Amino acid sequence: STGSSGINAEYGGAGVVIPTECSMKKPEKFNKVLVSVLICATFMYTTFGVLLYTAFGPDTGFSTGQITQNLEQFATHMEDRTFWHLVQVTVRLCLVFGIAMSVSVQLIVVLDIFEKELFKPGRLSQHNLFWKQNLIRAAITVFGMALAATGLSFGHLVSLTGAFSGTLIQFIFPTLCYYKCFGDNLAWYQKMGVWVLGISGAIFGVLATYVTLVEMFT
């Protein structure tokens, strides 16, 4: 369940699909770009995962779900420990850099919606809007840093994201919106397919979220 949630989180870019397509110079090529990115991502995830599991077997990630822990174990058993410790540190730095650089992409939709609602007429004043927006973004960043500092497992956080948020964004909300817009024009078997997708996603989301939370706090 945790593994499935992690996969769901890794492919959970549904929230940035529309903004990405709208910001492209040639939006008509979006489908080709999307398919190419999915193929490359699938190849990298599969190759890296298979190679690591082949090397470490059931001990991959230990109880933390982080493959970088295996690199540390690997380094301590090698003759050239300095080199492999350097590899371990480099991998972790690349991981941190990748996450840090992707935060703005992941939050752009959330911040855009949140700020539009927050600064509507009659709510917060738009005076010094630039500084207020950056203060909000800085506060969210600090919250993320504080969450990371708690020592929670990165693997479990990814799994929780996939189980809860990923399921809502990729299965439940799209299903409801699609049925609301096109439900009257669908045949009975098409309606059944839409409902099966939505209900299955909801069941998976609830179970996966429960399992992940139990693993995080036990």
Side-chain angles (χ1 to χ4, degrees):
S1 177
T2 303
S4 301
S5 302
I7 295 173
N8 196 25
E10 295 301 333
Y11 285 97
V16 298
V17 168
I18 295 178
T20 301
E21 182 178 9
C22 294
S23 63
M24 289 180 64
K25 186 175 182 179
K26 297 180 179 180
E28 65 274 8
K29 295 185 178 181
F30 175 76
N31 288 340
K32 292 182 179 180
V33 174
L34 178 62
V35 172
S36 301
V37 170
L38 288 175
I39 291 175
C40 292
T42 302
F43 175 77
M44 288 190 295
Y45 290 147
T46 304
T47 303
F48 193 66
V50 169
L51 289 176
L52 266 291
Y53 194 82
T54 301
F56 300 107
D59 292 328
T60 303
F62 297 99
S63 60
T64 63
Q66 298 181 46
I67 292 179
T68 51
Q69 298 292 333
N70 294 109
L71 294 177
E72 182 177 357
Q73 179 196 41
F74 183 73
T76 57
H77 290 83
M78 297 299 294
E79 294 182 1
D80 191 357
R81 295 184 180 182
T82 302
F83 172 76
W84 286 106
H85 277 299
L86 181 61
V87 171
Q88 175 203 356
V89 172
T90 303
V91 170
R92 289 190 172 184
L93 288 176
C94 290
L95 178 63
V96 171
F97 181 78
I99 294 174
M101 293 298 101
S102 64
V103 167
S104 58
V105 177
Q106 298 174 37
L107 291 180
I108 185 171
V109 179
V110 177
L111 288 172
D112 185 55
I113 296 174
F114 180 71
E115 290 173 357
K116 284 181 178 178
E117 291 295 324
L118 195 62
F119 294 105
K120 274 185 175 180
R123 296 183 180 175
L124 289 183
S125 171
Q126 295 192 14
H127 181 65
N128 290 328
L129 181 61
F130 174 81
W131 294 107
K132 289 179 180 178
Q133 287 178 326
N134 281 280
L135 183 61
I136 292 172
R137 296 168 187 178
I140 294 176
T141 303
V142 171
F143 173 76
M145 293 170 62
L147 185 63
T150 60
L152 292 175
S153 166
F154 177 73
H156 286 146
L157 287 176
V158 171
S159 298
L160 184 62
T161 301
F164 183 73
S165 303
T167 302
L168 287 174
I169 294 175
Q170 298 175 64
F171 294 98
I172 298 177
F173 289 159
T175 301
L176 293 175
C177 291
Y178 185 81
Y179 191 83
K180 179 70 175 178
C181 295
F182 306 105
D184 295 336
N185 301 321
L186 298 177
W188 67 268
Y189 59 88
Q190 292 174 321
K191 292 182 179 180
M192 182 177 295
V194 172
W195 280 109
V196 168
L197 179 63
I199 293 174
S200 300
I203 294 174
F204 166 79
V206 171
L207 292 177
T209 300
Y210 172 76
V211 171
T212 303
L213 289 174
V214 170
E215 291 182 355
M216 287 177 64
F217 296 104
T218 56

